[in-house]
Structure formats: C-alpha cells, structure tokens
Amino acid sequence: MIQRNTLYMVAIVVLSFIVNILQVPILHGTFSALAIAVFTQVYLPGYLLARRLGRHKLPHPIHRFGWILACGLGLSIVLGAPFRLFEQAIPIYLCALHIIMLILALWTAGTPNFDEPTWAWSWDKLLTFVLVALCSLIALGVSYESRHRFYGFEDQPIFISYIDWLVHHPGERPVAETPLRTRQVGVLSTDSRMDSDGWTYNHAAWSWSSGVPGQQLIWYDLATLFIWAVPLITFA
C-alpha cells in the first residue's frame, strides 16, 4: 500500500506540473511567477532526489538545504542538456522533468547513511542561525536593490536571444543570413559546450512558465533568485 507521505508527494508533483504547463496562471509575468517556476523546477526535484539518496534527513538543516539545492541544479541542468542539444520544445522538457519527479516521489526514500555527528537544536545555537539568516538577507537585499547581475558582460545577449527563441519561436529555424547567435559563436570559436548548455535551457523553461522575459531574468532576477543561498552554502 502506498504510504500517505508518498501520496502527498505525488499530489505536489501533479500540482507542480499543472501550474507549470499552464504557465503559472494569475501571476504570469511577475517575479512571483518566476519564483514559483524556480521552486517547482529546481528545489522540488532537488528535494525528491535528496530524499531518494537519504540526504533529506541529515542532522544539520543547512546541510540538508545544500544537498537539496545541489540535487535540484544537478538534475535540471543535466536533463536540460539533451533537450537543448536536440532543441526540443520546453513543454516536452517539463513533461520529462515531472515524470522523473513522479518516479522519485513513488520511489522509497533512501536510508540515511552518513557519518555526520549528531546535531540537535538548542537555544545556544540561536545566535549562529540569526547571523546566517542576516547574511542571507543582506545578500538578497543588495542583489534586489542593485537588480544588475552583470556589468560589461557583452556576451549575455547571446544567451538572452537563445532563451527568447526557445520561448517564442521554437519551431522556426534561423535562415543562413541570420543564424542563431549561440550556434554561430559555437561554430566560429569551435566551442561545442554551448550546444548542450542545460543551464541556459533551464532559464528558458523558467521564462516560458513564468512569462518573465529572458533579458529580465538574465540581467536582473537571476542573482536575486540564488544569491541569498551563498551564505548558507558557505556555512554548510
């Protein structure tokens, strides 16, 4: 018999799929929609994979978060790589991602197997956690107020153009006179890594689901979405 926790996880995955495939209705085009897209496409699969590996029960909560973030980014980037290589439509990627998430949700949670010392909450640890939270809030505040991730990085429009192409014109192929910039750069510099850049494909998936344009995501919102986690990963 399927356990109740498993049913909850399956229901959350189904809800995530509906929200993403409907492109985050009501909030579409807002930063909130982008945050929801990132949470459901990075953190949720990250938790499910960490759960399967038994890392969701690490003694220290910050260590747990580090594993969830690493699993989420690793899974989504690796999965996005072949979809970018073969230039598949984003809804197909979202279907594949949620199928994997559904399998992980139905899979029995892994047995914790780690050598970390026993950790338990006590009030004498409160100051440490407050300082870590303060560092994260400062990083988030500085990033949000500046709203600029890059200064003088002229290559970023290349990735923005690819995101917008995937989101708005996935069925069209550039003609010889106006080749897709990422392809052109890859050919001229003999750099084949760009052909399987799952990270940029992830950005396109977030943009498609949330309705936030590629330039807004790359230039302004990307740092705000993740920079608050840097102090946590540092302390983890």
Side-chain angles (χ1 to χ4, degrees):
M1 182 178 295
I2 300 178
Q3 297 180 353
R4 180 175 297 181
N5 288 341
T6 301
L7 291 177
Y8 286 153
M9 296 309 304
V10 169
I12 292 173
V13 170
V14 172
L15 178 61
S16 170
F17 175 73
I18 294 173
V19 169
N20 278 282
I21 211 68
L22 293 179
Q23 297 181 295
V24 192
I26 301 177
L27 297 174
H28 190 73
T30 66
F31 181 80
S32 297
L34 179 60
I36 291 172
V38 171
F39 177 80
T40 54
Q41 295 180 37
V42 177
Y43 290 100
L44 181 56
Y47 172 79
L48 293 171
L49 181 54
R51 172 177 172 268
R52 175 54 198 158
L53 297 174
R55 297 292 172 172
H56 67 307
K57 290 187 176 181
L58 286 171
H60 202 291
I62 296 181
H63 293 179
R64 267 179 275 169
F65 171 79
W67 270 94
I68 291 171
L69 180 58
C71 288
L73 290 174
L75 176 60
S76 59
I77 292 172
V78 170
L79 181 63
F83 278 85
R84 168 159 183 171
L85 179 63
F86 296 106
E87 297 178 346
Q88 295 300 301
I90 292 172
I92 301 176
Y93 163 79
L94 292 176
C95 289
L97 176 63
H98 282 82
I99 288 173
I100 293 175
M101 290 164 61
L102 185 61
I103 293 173
L104 290 172
L106 291 170
W107 210 339
T108 305
T111 303
N113 183 17
F114 38 79
D115 299 324
E116 294 191 8
T118 302
W119 186 91
W121 166 258
S122 61
W123 286 106
D124 60 347
K125 298 182 176 68
L126 178 61
L127 180 59
T128 301
F129 275 82
V130 169
L131 290 175
V132 174
L134 183 61
C135 290
S136 294
L137 287 174
I138 291 174
L140 177 63
V142 171
S143 172
Y144 186 83
E145 284 300 319
S146 66
R147 304 292 280 167
H148 288 278
R149 178 171 177 240
F150 296 108
Y151 293 94
F153 279 34
E154 291 78 7
D155 62 334
Q156 296 310 306
I158 297 172
F159 303 102
I160 294 172
S161 69
Y162 191 82
I163 291 172
D164 290 340
W165 176 72
L166 274 172
V167 172
H168 301 293
H169 310 287
E172 298 180 9
R173 291 294 181 268
V175 297
E177 292 76 14
T178 57
L180 194 63
R181 290 300 178 188
T182 50
R183 289 290 190 187
Q184 187 181 42
V185 170
V187 171
L188 293 177
S189 63
T190 63
D191 187 352
S192 60
R193 294 175 300 170
M194 302 187 73
D195 290 341
S196 57
D197 178 12
W199 180 233
T200 303
Y201 192 95
N202 291 163
H203 296 167
W206 305 342
S207 177
W208 185 89
S209 295
S210 66
V212 174
Q215 64 270 24
Q216 177 71 25
L217 170 60
I218 291 290
W219 286 100
Y220 301 103
D221 293 336
L222 191 57
T224 304
L225 287 168
F226 291 100
I227 199 169
W228 60 271
V230 173
L232 295 177
I233 299 302
T234 301
F235 284 101

